Amino acid sequence: MSIYCGNQRNDSKAWIGYFSSSDFLQVAAEPEFMALLLQEVQEQQNQYPPSQKFLNWLSIAYQIKRNNNAELIKEICDLGMIPKTYTNLELMLSDSFAEYWQLVQIAKTNHWTEDSIYKYSKIIEKYQLIFIKEKRNNVISGEISRHPIGVHLLIYFFEKYPLPEELYQILWDTLDLKSAKYGRAQIVYGKMRQIVLEHIPTIQEQPQKQLGAFKSDFLYCCAGCYKRAGSNPQKDKEEIEAFCERQEFEQALKNRQFVSENFVDGIWVEQGTPSLFLEKFLDFYTQHPDAPYAEKVIKKVKDSLKAQRIMKQKNKEKQAEETKPIPKGILPLSNRSFFDYWFHICCNTMCVPRFCYQYSDFQYNQTWIYKFLTTENDCLDNGKTPYKKIQYSLQDGEERAEVEIRFHLYYIDFIINGEPTYRPVFDWDWLATLEETDMFFHLLLMTVTLYNQYDIVEQEIIRRLYLLDLPLSKNEMNTIAGIFAKYICSLSMTNDSNITEHLEDENDEEYSQADKNNSFQPVDPVQLLSQLSYVIFTEDSSKLYGAICAPSINWIKVFEQPLNENPEFLFSQKCLVNNEDKLKRFAIDMLQEKVAISEYPLEKLVHLPIAVYLTPDKSEANQINIPKVLTGQQITLEHLREALNLFAEKKINRLEFSWETQLPFTVKQEYQARRSLVFLREDEKYVCLLFDDASVECYGLPVNPSQDKLMEEDFEFVPFLKEKLFSKHIHKSFHTIQIQLERVFQSIFFPNGYHLWSQAINVSHGRNKYNMDKQLLGNFPVEWAHNNISDKIYLDIYPDSFALTNLQETSETIILKTSNRFKIQTAFQQYLKGQAQQLCLNWSYLNLVLLQENGQYMMVFLHRDNAEFCVADKQSYFKSNNEDAAKELFLGKITPSYLLHKDIAAFRNHLELLLAKITEPECILNEFAQYTNTNLPKEWSFQTLCEEFLGKENV
């Protein structure tokens, strides 16, 4: 009680020191101590009421806010007031006390199960040196930071409670106590290291487990399988089996820390992992049930394999549907593809788009939808969106209604007796009598009834869903029926009861006040129906727009409806004329303005580009009136507008706007770094890309950015130029790019801040791969997209082996493994520097021979019983049919001079491009006048080359 009654009673440091001391921790959990503490506080209350600091740290030490069962301590806290929120320091130590008591609770039972060891491991991970801080700068949810005093709590725990040897091993490995001999690590962990050594004296003699390379090689192997996308299953199998035969495989899978980080909490057994890997993991843990977290890993693997099978089946069904001819007219709702699409646009029309994205089963195939809607009226190229329609002639007594339902890309429209209709007009009781189930569902959105009919409506919709005989779970049916029932049961005895709740804009105070003043007045049901608010929709090829019309308060609100998010309000306005027809007309006009395409919003370019490059279509080359390169004063808004028009009119195939940028000071590059906006066309495929040399990023503009948050599995790879892009980046016309140009121009310097762009190349390997992407995908000239001579060579797939012959003609063959891959980069540098005569790269199905003599280089690609030579001089090559073609002696053979490279930078680029596409080299080999296999001397025949460089046994 010396602190409690002394001068330090309001000193936080004094209380922290006491509550983290061994004197306190030794008795803290004893009921006798807590009773004595309560008694002392009560006796001293008149003279020394409990101070705020005392109560703060008492509540933290005993975790009162986390429903601790220390009732006696709660009584003490009730004598004063503990704060509603803690400071950053208090939060840090509160976390540490919570973790300390968790460990104590488990240690007291002395029953260390897989779950309790997992909890222990997760706690220890939070005390790695990187997380030990004197203060937390920001209170961020999920931020990990622990105060050094928290380490003192752990030290006391380890001193008091004996633990199984495995737990000391986890502590040693997780906190890297082997190296905690000097500096800050020794200060923080010195005592803890000593405790572990007392229990396991030999632990510091154990070899340190080096699994970093093993982990990176796993990711590299997965990336290779992902890029091949099933095109070479034999190669996938060979690489995965070779990886799983490595010595580190069993070592890693039995290392508790490794398994926890990469299997239990990591991505090694997620759905995206190749199935062959998952099966290998499943076999291992089935055969080793005592391995760490075996049960958890087996469950995750089985779940991932199941998800893969389901996804594979769905993709198979989608591919089958895409190959089938789609019949004219509307398909039955029992067709699953059509049902998914119909339910999607119903959710959009009801303004609940996010529901479909919570259930992957309802994510429809957009490629199929375009095909379905354009079977009869393909109008995408002229900027209009397609739709299909179905017509019903309805009779109810003497009343007759001609109903036309239009199915658009993103919403449903209703035309009744020739007039667009936005409010429900059919009574639920009449709809429920319809025998035809498809008609029942098609008319649901035009149906209304009282709110107290919800249960009846829901049950009838569920009954009808069963009649469709779709593979829907009971839970899915209940959810679907609930969404429709809530929409239909919108009538109550209050005015305008169905103003869409989730479309309310909290910042729109005037609208909210008008709503409050007019919403709760009892009215006649007939009058109520005529006063219901409604939504008018329109769309372009990539977006849905809506206008909420509220006649009761004479108000309009216009919003943009992303397909998987909440609506984004654009503006709202009160109409001066109290006339519903004018209100409706006003809303339609505002929506038409949104989908009307401005010519080109070039005013959104904050900075004009420093250069513009145009590549004409061959058939249009003579009709272009502006230069192919614009710089300086030539760059005007008029010329930029003309260039965009030329691209839209298919007169140029490539248009680039280019700005200068700065590289990080650690990066050296032989040309001025650029940020480039590139428009590309190949046949009827259009692409908009953004290349940033500074961040080494290549971004693509999706056709529909709001759909870009779907799982990547929904987008297949599509060949474009010499690379492959996600299908989401392939536009069917320039129109879907043009309607997004305003945001494109705004986001050029901040591509990550506009939620517009996404990665064009999913797998990145740094600047050397990025420069290859610029050439293969962006059609950049070599001068603006090459790697430096000394940079590492990018390899898409490592060769199985290579043979290096030095200038003394001594040869060394190296079988490549994961552990020695660095050697091939050393070999490349020796060869490019002229220090080697020959470098032969060998894959199981092809070979690449690189030759050098006196600063002249030659590249020969051997595959499919053929030899392809890289051309150095195109002009000389064109003359090769004539006897005048120059020849030289190269490595003792008569050789056409057009095959001998003297420009090492250009030669290296040719080499790297071929290595980047080594799995599908045709796009490189077929490039005009770049490679040849004709009119060559016999000394360079395929047979001779194989015998000389590969050995007769390999011919």
Side-chain angles (χ1 to χ4, degrees), residues 403-442:
V403 180
E404 180 180 308
I405 306 173
R406 295 179 178 178
F407 298 86
H408 296 265
L409 282 171
Y410 307 123
Y411 72 103
I412 300 177
D413 240 354
F414 294 88
I415 312 295
I416 299 181
N417 294 330
E419 292 293 330
T421 304
Y422 307 107
R423 287 195 187 95
V425 296
F426 300 120
D427 183 70
W428 166 258
D429 292 336
W430 170 83
L431 185 75
T433 63
L434 293 178
E435 294 183 3
E436 189 178 335
T437 299
D438 276 20
M439 183 190 296
F440 169 87
F441 282 113
H442 288 159

Side-chain angles (χ1 to χ4, degrees), residues 133 165 281 284 291 310 427 489 539 543 599-600 780 786:
K133 305 173 183 178
E165 184 174 302
F281 296 148
F284 178 86
I310 293 172
D427 183 70
C489 301
E539 66 181 5
K543 294 178 184 176
E599 187 177 3
Y600 297 111
F780 282 81
H786 66 82

Side-chain angles (χ1 to χ4, degrees), residues 222-236:
C222 287
C225 295
Y226 180 78
K227 287 192 294 182
R228 287 190 290 272
S231 62
N232 192 343
Q234 183 60 33
K235 184 70 175 177
D236 294 348

